[in-house]
Amino acid sequence: MELRDIEIFLTLAEELHFGRTATRLRISPARVTQAIQKQERHIGGPLFERTSRTVRLTPLGSQLRDDLRPVYAGLRDG
């Protein structure tokens, strides 16, 4: 997983909104969607439950978020 993809995932996990995530990271909403779909294919399961009105982390997504937060913080701060 690339650093930018980790950043996209963690930001979406915080915002729980594709549009706000895109705005915050200064990328297109399509790029957010593509990155998440790529990660889900790589991991083999859904990271988010999506409806037209809500975005929620799945248990797999929550576990990945918890695992990646300290790693990403260390990379960003280093």
Side-chain angles (χ1 to χ4, degrees), residues 38-49:
K38 176 182 167 187
Q39 292 171 25
E40 288 176 332
R41 281 191 307 274
H42 180 74
I43 290 172
L47 299 172
F48 295 91
E49 293 177 12

Side-chain angles (χ1 to χ4, degrees), residues 46-64:
L47 299 172
F48 295 91
E49 293 177 12
R50 309 162 182 82
T51 69
S52 61
R53 299 182 89 41
T54 62
V55 176
R56 292 183 296 186
L57 281 165
T58 63
L60 180 61
S62 293
Q63 182 64 49
L64 183 62

Side-chain angles (χ1 to χ4, degrees), residues 9-57:
F9 169 77
L10 290 174
T11 304
L12 182 58
E14 184 179 321
E15 293 287 345
L16 296 176
H17 190 277
F18 282 78
R20 285 194 304 264
T21 297
T23 299
R24 186 168 151 188
L25 296 175
R26 295 181 176 90
I27 59 176
S28 71
R31 173 68 177 100
V32 175
T33 299
Q34 290 168 355
I36 297 302
Q37 288 174 340
K38 176 182 167 187
Q39 292 171 25
E40 288 176 332
R41 281 191 307 274
H42 180 74
I43 290 172
L47 299 172
F48 295 91
E49 293 177 12
R50 309 162 182 82
T51 69
S52 61
R53 299 182 89 41
T54 62
V55 176
R56 292 183 296 186
L57 281 165

